Amino acid sequence: MDLPLTERIRGCLLGGACGDALGAPVEFWSTQQIAARYGSKGIVGFAHDVGPAGAITDDTQMTMFTVEGLIRARVRQSLHGAVDWAAVVHHAYLRWLRTQLSTYDARSTIEGLDGWLIEERRLWSQRAPGTTCLVALRSATDFGIPADNDSKGCGTVMRDAPWGLAFPGDPDTAFKLAFNAAATTHGHPTAHYASGAVAAIVARLCAGMDLAGSVDRTIAENLMDPDGVEVAAALSLALQFSGTTGWRSSLLELGGGWVAEEALGIAVLCALSAETPRAALIAAVNHDGDSDSTGAICGNLLGAALGADVFPAEWVEQLGVRDLLETLAVDLAGSIAQDFSASAAGARYPGW
């Protein structure tokens, strides 16, 4: 599909936030509990149960700080000629951590906070942050150092689609850098491969490849190492089940989405199989598992493939951080452009 990169970036960020906000009220619910509360069709629109309709979770928060880190890394690279991408994005996650541990009014007393995103009061709110991310970031001793745990929770893959946006048409680089960044919070190789895979898929989507082809190529070219077998298996199952009459019941075979490969597999299956993007996001959140993360990843993929206009306008308009996402989308696209001025961007995105 021939879309400008800016529109793919907008679609990826806004679509991910829509899936996140849709799934947030039912994140820890079974399908039976969802049906009891919302009816036999499940949750089909934004609800007020865990905050205002359109409220996002830590998935979108961390995705936004990923984007900020990517722009700051590009600034540093432009100004200094070299950059440790994982370290700069890790630093961004440490700024996010402060929004989870402190109050907005206390930010002036915290050392090392700069840039515009950290000044947004709406982000200084705990929205069910993942334990692994919190613990790993709190114990970090330096930027870019791998975490000392064995977690493969989905707290990496739900935040890492922007790596593919930052390297459109370069899936190998996107894979490698997302892989490295995932290691700063999660120690299990499957988490690293899942993050690399979602980044590579998005990079291929940004180059105009369709979703099925992007997934198939990512399996063949980026997941051949033995440590990538769990992610490759989940994506292969998603391709196998996609388009079949019973694909919705096949979600159970992919798991609950609490771990990285399951979340990615569920998101891919729903994105490939549902009749519309709206139906895909609804399917991606109505299951026994991590509904907001699977919804967010599904929205990331569909948005990168099809742009922002495929999502219900009323959902996009209700997003509580829509303006921030729109700004980040424009700024990320600008950082990739040939006429990017690092000196001009440096005030908003210091190169570190």
Side-chain angles (χ1 to χ4, degrees):
M1 186 175 183
D2 187 17
L3 282 175
L5 179 60
T6 300
E7 184 56 24
R8 293 187 188 276
I9 294 174
R10 286 187 65 245
C12 185
L13 299 184
L14 292 172
C18 284
D20 181 20
L22 182 66
V26 297
E27 178 180 5
F28 303 104
W29 294 15
S30 68
T31 51
Q32 290 80 10
Q33 290 172 315
I34 295 172
R37 172 66 178 84
Y38 296 102
S40 60
K41 294 183 179 179
I43 188 168
V44 297
F46 290 174
H48 299 271
D49 296 57
V50 293
I56 51 89
T57 76
D58 63 313
D59 295 29
T60 299
Q61 288 178 337
M62 293 199 77
T63 298
M64 293 167 72
F65 277 93
T66 300
V67 175
E68 189 216 28
L70 289 168
I71 299 171
R72 289 168 71 132
R74 191 79 71 176
V75 169
R76 182 170 182 82
Q77 183 181 55
S78 297
L79 293 177
H80 301 286
V83 64
D84 183 335
W85 290 84
V88 177
V89 173
H90 191 198
H91 191 190
Y93 296 150
L94 291 171
R95 287 190 295 280
W96 168 79
L97 178 68
R98 295 301 181 185
T99 71
Q100 306 301 293
L101 303 181
S102 304
T103 65
Y104 178 79
D105 292 335
R107 72 196 187 286
S108 61
T109 66
I110 301 172
E111 185 178 355
L113 298 185
D114 55 15
W116 73 277
L117 191 60
I118 200 70
E119 294 295 325
E120 287 294 337
R121 180 185 289 270
R122 285 166 287 177
L123 298 181
W124 289 74
S125 173
Q126 284 201 358
R127 300 292 301 159
T131 300
T132 297
C133 286
L134 291 177
V135 172
L137 292 171
R138 290 184 75 167
S139 62
T141 57
D142 203 354
F143 305 138
I145 301 300
D148 184 18
N149 62 52
D150 193 40
S151 174
K152 63 172 183 174
C154 68
T156 59
V157 67
M158 57 75 165
R159 73 191 188 212
D160 279 340
W163 289 95
L165 302 175
F167 296 92
D170 188 359
D172 292 339
T173 297
F175 180 93
K176 176 183 177 182
L177 295 179
F179 183 106
N180 293 339
T184 62
T185 56
H186 290 63
H188 198 288
T190 293
H192 312 160
Y193 278 90
S195 283
V198 75
I201 292 167
V202 170
R204 290 184 165 100
L205 292 173
C206 288
M209 189 177 292
D210 65 20
L211 180 56
S214 297
V215 173
D216 187 62
R217 187 74 65 83
T218 296
I219 295 171
E221 297 186 4
N222 301 109
L223 297 173
M224 296 303 292
D225 291 344
D227 283 342
V229 65
E230 289 185 316
V231 180
L235 290 176
S236 296
L237 278 178
L239 290 177
Q240 176 185 327
F241 295 144
S242 65
T244 63
T245 55
W247 69 268
R248 293 176 189 273
S249 61
S250 298
L251 291 172
L252 295 173
E253 297 190 44
L254 287 167
W258 298 110
V259 293
E261 77 276 16
E262 293 177 0
L264 182 56
I266 290 169
V268 167
L269 177 56
C270 293
L272 285 174
S273 303
E275 298 81 6
T276 65
R278 180 180 185 275
L281 294 189
I282 290 172
V285 305
N286 283 285
H287 62 88
D288 296 324
D290 195 352
S291 298
D292 63 324
S293 294
T294 51
I297 300 164
C298 185
N300 290 149
L301 297 174
L302 287 169
L306 304 172
D309 291 344
V310 301
F311 301 107
E314 65 270 21
W315 289 2
V316 174
E317 290 167 2
Q318 287 183 78
L319 288 173
V321 293
R322 178 188 177 180
D323 58 323
L324 306 185
L325 292 164
E326 295 273 14
T327 297
L328 286 167
V330 171
D331 290 349
L332 179 59
S335 74
I336 301 167
Q338 290 186 346
D339 60 351
F340 172 62
S341 172
S343 58
R348 287 169 55 78
Y349 299 96
W352 184 237

